[in-house]
Amino acid sequence: MTLCFFSKSLWAAPFEIKIHDELIAELHESSYEIETNLFQASAAQGIKSDVFQTRLEYAYGIVQGNEIGANIFLSNYNGVSYVNGGKLSQMYVPTHEEDGIFHYGIKNELIYLKDIGTENQLFWEMTPILAVQLQQWRFTINPSIDFGLNKSGGVAFAPTGKIAYSVTPHTSLGAEYYSEMSNTTNSFPVSQRFNTAYLVVDTKIDKSTINFGVGKGTNLNSDNWVIKLIAAIAF
C-alpha cells in the first residue's frame, strides 16, 4: 500500500489500496494490473470535486517466485488530470503447497510520489507478506515500513490486514484494514491516524483476478467513503 509519507497528508487515499498476497507473475510471463479508486477529499484541501485515482502496473517474472514491476500514478480532480509519479518494485514469493497453512513473501518498492497537497516524496517501502490458510478462511497481514529518502528522511510504520472467506473455489468475501500508526517523529493517537476499513469481494477468472471494495474512514483524519477496483491479467 503506497501511503502518504508525511502526516499532513493523512487524509488523501493512497494510489494503491491493496493487500499483497501470493499473486505474482510466473517465470518469463508478464502481468498487467489496473487499479482505480474514487473518494471525497477532506474539506481542508479545497478540492471541489471527488478525486479519481489510477495506478497502472506492468510486472515480469524474472526467475521462479520473483518478479519485477513498474507503476505509474495518475489522478483527476477539479476537472484537471495529473501524473503523480510512480514506482519500481521487486517481489519474492517462494513456492508453497496450495494446501499449506503458512504462506509468506516480501515486496520492496522504490516510490516517487507527488500527492495531493504535499511536497515531492521519494521513499523505499518494504512489505513483508504473511498469511495463514485455515480451510476456507485466509488471514493476511502486511506490516509495511516506509523509509524516507528525501533530505527530511523519516520512517513510517503502516500495517495492513485482511480476512477473507471463500464462498466458492474462485470467489471470496472479506474485510481489509489500512492504518498508518507512527513515524520517527510522531506516534499518532488513534483519532489522528489514517485508518480505513473496506468490505471486499475477490474473484478469479482463469489467470485474471478482480478485487472490488467499498471503504470508509474510521476517524476524522481519514477519507469519508472510498470505492476501489483492481483488475490483474497475466499472460
Side-chain angles (χ1 to χ4, degrees):
M1 176 187 179
T2 304
L3 282 168
C4 301
F5 195 74
F6 298 101
S7 60
K8 66 182 178 181
S9 61
L10 287 178
W11 54 71
F15 286 87
E16 184 173 33
I17 308 173
K18 176 182 177 181
I19 302 296
H20 295 294
D21 207 321
E22 291 193 301
L23 181 63
I24 190 170
E26 297 294 336
L27 176 63
H28 299 159
E29 290 189 0
S30 297
S31 68
Y32 300 86
E33 187 169 279
I34 179 171
E35 174 175 356
T36 60
N37 64 68
L38 179 69
F39 71 96
Q40 184 179 35
S42 165
Q45 292 177 286
I47 297 176
K48 299 177 181 178
S49 68
D50 292 337
V51 180
F52 182 73
Q53 297 185 147
T54 301
R55 177 181 62 86
L56 303 174
E57 178 181 58
Y58 169 77
Y60 182 77
I62 53 174
V63 297
Q64 189 66 43
N66 208 318
E67 74 166 29
I68 56 174
N71 291 243
I72 186 170
F73 305 140
L74 309 168
S75 65
N76 183 281
Y77 55 93
N78 289 345
V80 181
S81 296
Y82 301 88
V83 177
N84 298 85
K87 66 179 179 178
L88 299 175
S89 65
Q90 175 271 332
M91 183 163 68
Y92 170 68
V93 178
T95 301
H96 302 126
E97 296 181 11
E98 286 192 20
D99 297 329
I101 296 177
F102 299 104
H103 302 259
Y104 58 89
I106 191 167
K107 188 167 189 177
N108 292 284
E109 300 167 294
L110 181 64
I111 301 167
Y112 172 78
L113 181 64
K114 178 64 174 73
D115 206 0
I116 300 169
T118 71
E119 301 173 354
N120 294 346
Q121 305 168 39
L122 179 66
F123 58 99
W124 165 43
E125 183 170 273
M126 180 181 66
T127 303
I129 301 167
L130 306 170
V132 175
Q133 183 76 43
L134 299 175
Q135 297 182 346
Q136 292 173 281
W137 290 95
R138 190 174 184 89
F139 304 86
T140 307
I141 59 172
N142 291 164
S144 298
I145 303 175
D146 297 343
F147 300 89
L149 301 178
N150 290 353
K151 291 183 179 180
S152 57
V155 178
F157 178 50
T160 63
K162 181 174 184 174
I163 299 174
Y165 179 79
S166 298
V167 294
T168 74
H170 302 291
T171 302
S172 66
L173 302 177
E176 299 177 352
Y177 196 79
Y178 299 83
S179 176
E180 182 168 353
M181 295 183 65
S182 64
N183 58 36
T184 51
T185 57
N186 293 287
S187 180
F188 306 127
V190 173
S191 61
Q192 297 179 16
R193 295 176 186 171
F194 181 96
N195 290 340
T196 309
Y198 290 82
L199 293 177
V200 298
V201 57
D202 292 275
T203 301
K204 294 181 180 180
I205 305 172
D206 294 328
K207 289 188 175 183
S208 302
T209 63
I210 297 174
N211 170 272
F212 175 78
V214 177
K216 190 178 189 307
T218 60
N219 55 35
L220 294 178
N221 273 354
S222 302
D223 301 306
N224 187 11
W225 288 96
V226 185
I227 300 174
K228 66 158 180 163
L229 175 67
I230 306 174
I233 302 174
F235 295 97

